[in-house]
Amino acid sequence: MNMIRTAMLLAAMTALFMGVGYLIGGSGGMLIAFVIAAAMNLFGYWNADKMVLRMHHAVEVDERNAPEYYEIVRGLVHNAGMPMPKVYLIQNDQPNAFATGRNPQNAAVAATTGLLERLSYEEVAGVMAHELAHIQNRDTLIMTITATLAGAISMLGNFAFFFGGNRDNNNPLGFVGVLVAMIVAPLAAMLVQMAISRTREYSADRLGAEICGNPLWLASALDKIANAARRIRNPDAEHNPATAHMFIINPLSGEKMDNLFSTHPNTDNRIAALEDMARNGLSGGAARRDRPVVEDGSPWGRGREGRTEPTRGTARPGRGSVPRTGNPGNERGPKGPWS
């Protein structure tokens, strides 16, 4: 079913891409757009994940230069029974995270330094479990390619502004076609992104809660991330808005639009669904926990008795402190809280 959805999405985005080419340059422009779209689909399948990571200046880390963060992901991967993805860190004060990759065998998770600094151990585990759920659900391919094609459609809209008015470009609709290419096509691409993201976030929330073992960890994390995202800008996301739907919470600080134009489901609704899941108990899913993610002597430097854990009926566990443990002798990676 995921393969069918992916094929349908690629066909729709390719058709939209060709339509913009037709509006800009007529039948010749449509043919050129088709060739470009086919090449981008092929390139995107193999390389879109790398492009998105580069857009956000993500740096790969491991147990040597980000041991605590890496260990969280490794523990969750063990719980989920899935291959270990590559782990990336983004030097950015806004707490946020995303996953990318064409399949579970070729996937990556990325978190910002703001996420690691502002959230507790349990909340970070909830967020990373959500991202692993996207990988396990095979959402990452479709979300990454959509981001690539949506960015390209917006770029064509900009080209239409500069070249669409040329009398020699065989534009069948004249200035009206230029306006459609500039405004309607990017808006349509944005709506496709919204539909994809909003329908997949609830599923990833639920599976992520099963992977980490406590829905309230993710609920509390969503509340903190949403509040911080309104106050803290994410410059890379602002420069690459086509990737906004990939993040766990919309990273675009200026977005104050209503539900119709939101790239993500309403955060309060997501939290309510997770709280309801906690009240009713975790359903037995594929992600059975063979061992706890949080163990005594955790990277946060506190035993279980010193850590505030969420209780049923409370969606906001204690914030916790993330110590800067340092990593002497290893300069690789961004200067995050544990590097």
Side-chain angles (χ1 to χ4, degrees):
M1 182 61 69
N2 273 321
M3 291 298 294
I4 295 175
R5 286 200 298 264
T6 300
M8 291 177 62
L9 171 74
L10 292 179
M13 295 294 281
T14 299
L16 183 59
F17 199 81
M18 292 172 61
V20 176
Y22 180 77
L23 292 173
I24 295 176
S27 57
M30 182 174 65
L31 180 61
I32 294 172
F34 174 75
V35 173
I36 294 174
M40 287 188 65
N41 285 341
L42 183 62
F43 179 82
Y45 179 82
W46 295 102
N47 298 289
D49 56 337
K50 302 179 185 67
M51 291 177 58
V52 171
L53 290 166
R54 281 198 296 269
M55 286 178 185
H56 293 276
H57 302 96
V59 177
E60 187 174 359
V61 296
D62 54 31
E63 64 271 17
R64 294 173 298 172
N65 52 12
E68 298 87 354
Y69 169 39
Y70 192 87
E71 180 57 31
I72 289 176
V73 177
R74 181 158 53 192
L76 293 166
V77 164
H78 174 84
N79 292 353
M82 59 187 292
M84 181 71 183
K86 293 182 179 178
V87 181
Y88 286 80
L89 192 60
I90 302 170
Q91 184 72 39
N92 193 304
D93 288 337
Q94 183 190 87
N96 228 317
F98 66 84
T100 185
R102 62 182 182 272
N103 54 42
Q105 290 72 35
N106 298 275
V109 293
T112 65
T113 52
L115 184 91
L116 304 183
E117 290 174 335
R118 295 171 183 273
L119 272 63
S120 70
Y121 185 105
E122 292 83 2
E123 291 162 343
V124 172
V127 170
M128 302 319 296
H130 170 98
E131 299 307 330
L132 291 175
H134 275 308
I135 294 172
Q136 198 168 67
N137 287 339
R138 297 180 180 267
D139 295 338
T140 49
L141 171 63
I142 193 169
M143 293 170 71
T144 305
I145 291 182
T146 300
T148 303
L149 287 178
I153 290 171
S154 297
M155 179 185 67
L156 279 184
N158 292 332
F159 285 166
F161 176 77
F162 292 105
F163 304 112
N166 191 327
R167 293 176 179 271
D168 299 327
N169 67 359
N170 198 29
N171 183 338
L173 300 180
F175 186 68
V176 174
V178 175
L179 287 179
V180 171
M182 287 172 53
I183 301 172
V184 177
L187 179 61
M190 182 179 68
L191 290 174
V192 172
Q193 286 180 280
M194 293 171 187
I196 292 168
S197 177
R198 293 169 67 176
T199 57
R200 293 170 185 259
E201 290 303 318
Y202 284 113
S203 176
D205 284 348
R206 181 172 187 83
L207 180 56
E210 293 178 357
I211 291 174
C212 73
N214 193 325
L216 298 181
W217 296 356
L218 178 55
S220 178
L222 290 175
D223 183 51
K224 286 186 179 180
I225 296 171
N227 288 328
R230 299 188 190 102
R231 298 180 286 101
I232 304 172
R233 291 187 78 257
N234 185 329
D236 290 331
E238 300 289 348
H239 294 153
N240 302 284
T243 64
H245 69 293
M246 298 179 63
F247 287 82
I248 189 169
I249 290 289
N250 187 355
L252 304 179
S253 59
E255 295 247 338
K256 298 293 185 182
M257 292 181 275
D258 60 21
N259 288 336
L260 176 63
F261 294 99
S262 174
T263 58
H264 292 69
N266 181 274
T267 303
D268 289 339
N269 292 342
R270 293 172 68 183
I271 292 173
L274 289 164
E275 289 177 335
D276 185 63
M277 186 178 177
R279 282 191 295 269
N280 295 327
L282 282 171
S283 62
R288 290 284 187 179
R289 297 173 69 239
D290 297 325
R291 65 181 176 85
V293 173
V294 182
E295 300 171 348
D296 290 344
S298 75
W300 264 241
R302 292 178 291 164
R304 180 176 292 279
E305 70 279 2
R307 186 179 299 112
T308 305
E309 291 199 35
T311 57
R312 291 181 183 268
T314 303
R316 293 168 180 79
R319 173 166 178 167
S321 173
V322 182
R324 295 179 178 270
T325 58
N327 191 31
N330 195 328
E331 297 299 324
R332 183 178 163 212
K335 298 300 181 184
W338 302 320
S339 57

